[in-house]
Amino acid sequence: MGRGGSRLTRLDAFTKTVEDARVRTTSGGIVTIMSIVVVLVLVISEFNDYRRIIIRPELVVDKTRGEQLPINLNITFPHIPCELLTLDVMDISGEQQSSITHGISLTRLTPYPASQPLSTTSLNLHEDTASHLDPTYCGNCFGAPAPERPDSPRTGCCQTCEDVREAYASIGWAFGKGEGVEQCEREHYAERLDSIKDEGCNIAGHLSVNKVIGNFHIAPGKSFSTSQMHVHDLNQYFASSKEHTFTHTIHSLSFGPELPSTVRHQNNPLDGSTQETSERSFNFMYFVKVVSTSYLPLGVTETNEGAGLGAVETHQYSVTSHKRSLLGGQDSEHSTTLHARGGIPGVFFSYDISPMKVINREARAKSFAGFLTGVCAVIGGTLTVAAAIDRGVYEGALRVKKLHQG
């Protein structure tokens, strides 16, 4: 090949042996077969590792604005009927949602311990519009301002017992069982309260609240605000002959859709939890720290406008809890703790929004270049080790043979 060829020949790192100088042995054939099997197994393992999808969590500052926080809840109260429960929401911006009915349903339960479903209704248990009455009928509100109802056929009137209750609540009057109220006596309101006093209640549904610091709570009686205070009419709750309590089981509480099981290593902290009390005047408080969370499947990226199509936007949370008797005094479990007197019985959830956001991003465990590098390493390493083994077996066989001949 001339002078150029001879120069390249001196650079050849892969020296060859002539065919006559090669020796094939049985042990070499066995090592070759084993090497091929090992290479195939390791290459398949490398391919599976290349195809494997892992979750890479990231922590960033949450830059979203003006979003709503979805709340999904399912809570059972075995010792208090649905008629006495009210669900309210308040937040730091000053917005209040009282006696929430939209998106919430509650199920009447048979007396404890059976607690079997009786019927499911909306939180508005007074859907009687008194359509059977004289069209000219206008119920008395007994000195309270009539509630505004867009669907009511007449304005300035209290057509039902519920209308009177709302009118009383709007100015902070206690209602009781509606004694002497024509509408309530017509609807047998007091008798109905007595008939359901042993029932329990399950509250389930969805809320949408401002994504700011706030709280939602389930407490007895109609709620109203006066002098910048949030108050509940507790007359019916304490006047009942039944010793109602706020023993409860939280079947589920979440803030948004569930994450895929590959990311969700455990259930929500409060799912399946139960709190018990034998006191009527008792308060349960849960302090929840909510963290925005995104799940980005493989190929989905996050833009300035938010996560792309196919992403899951939800929230995770941590929680601490506290409970106390509203009668005040020394804590039954901690002798050095004293509780203040007063408050509203019920279950309260105070939520705070974390400024950080967790992004769970799907990604390949290794790149295609990494896969090729791994395959080359497997083949080269296996052949190198196999050659060393074969050389050792061959040299050992020769020495043993010479010993026998000598």
Side-chain angles (χ1 to χ4, degrees), residues 283-319:
N283 179 291
F284 295 94
M285 290 172 283
Y286 298 93
F287 301 94
V288 181
K289 191 73 170 183
V290 181
V291 182
S292 298
T293 304
S294 292
Y295 176 76
L296 305 181
L298 193 65
V300 176
T301 58
E302 192 171 37
T303 64
N304 293 332
E305 289 76 21
L309 183 65
V312 178
E313 290 288 340
T314 185
H315 302 81
Q316 300 179 89
Y317 67 92
S318 61
V319 62

Side-chain angles (χ1 to χ4, degrees), residues 90-325:
M90 300 182 294
D91 63 44
I92 197 172
S93 69
E95 182 174 313
Q96 294 189 20
Q97 301 179 49
S98 299
S99 303
I100 296 176
T101 61
H102 182 70
I104 298 295
S105 64
L106 41 78
T107 303
R108 295 170 54 196
L109 304 177
T110 57
Y112 183 83
S115 298
Q116 295 299 313
L118 282 173
S119 65
T120 302
T121 65
S122 69
L123 260 180
N124 183 13
L125 299 179
H126 302 268
E127 297 180 350
D128 182 11
T129 58
S131 58
H132 60 285
L133 299 176
D134 190 305
T136 62
Y137 172 79
C138 180
N140 189 356
C141 294
F142 302 92
E148 297 181 3
R149 290 186 178 274
D151 57 344
S152 177
R154 298 181 67 88
T155 59
C157 305
C158 292
Q159 304 294 81
T160 65
C161 183
E162 174 64 7
D163 288 344
V164 181
R165 286 187 68 197
E166 288 192 8
Y168 273 46
S170 66
I171 55 176
W173 290 359
F175 184 73
K177 292 186 177 181
E179 298 89 344
V181 177
E182 173 196 355
Q183 295 89 329
C184 297
E185 292 179 351
R186 183 183 69 234
E187 298 174 13
H188 306 288
Y189 181 69
E191 292 85 345
R192 186 149 54 94
L193 280 180
D194 290 335
S195 67
I196 64 174
K197 65 181 180 180
D198 293 322
E199 294 181 3
C201 186
N202 172 265
I203 295 182
H206 313 279
L207 305 175
S208 184
V209 300
N210 295 326
K211 199 173 178 181
V212 296
I213 298 173
N215 82 80
F216 66 95
H217 58 267
I218 301 169
K222 279 286 183 181
S223 61
F224 54 92
S225 297
T226 175
S227 301
Q228 297 182 345
M229 292 182 62
H230 185 76
V231 184
H232 283 254
D233 179 5
L234 304 179
N235 187 280
Q236 291 181 2
Y237 179 72
F238 286 111
S240 174
S241 57
K242 167 72 175 181
E243 190 77 11
H244 299 303
T245 69
F246 271 90
T247 293
H248 62 278
T249 298
I250 302 175
H251 304 289
S252 64
L253 178 67
S254 61
F255 296 83
E258 294 290 342
L259 287 170
S261 57
T262 53
V263 181
R264 191 180 70 252
H265 302 295
Q266 58 185 10
N267 293 329
N268 295 310
L270 288 176
D271 288 1
S273 62
T274 298
Q275 293 279 9
E276 297 181 350
T277 180
S278 59
E279 297 183 35
R280 179 178 291 190
S281 300
F282 209 84
N283 179 291
F284 295 94
M285 290 172 283
Y286 298 93
F287 301 94
V288 181
K289 191 73 170 183
V290 181
V291 182
S292 298
T293 304
S294 292
Y295 176 76
L296 305 181
L298 193 65
V300 176
T301 58
E302 192 171 37
T303 64
N304 293 332
E305 289 76 21
L309 183 65
V312 178
E313 290 288 340
T314 185
H315 302 81
Q316 300 179 89
Y317 67 92
S318 61
V319 62
T320 57
S321 61
H322 178 69
K323 58 184 179 180
R324 70 181 181 94
S325 171

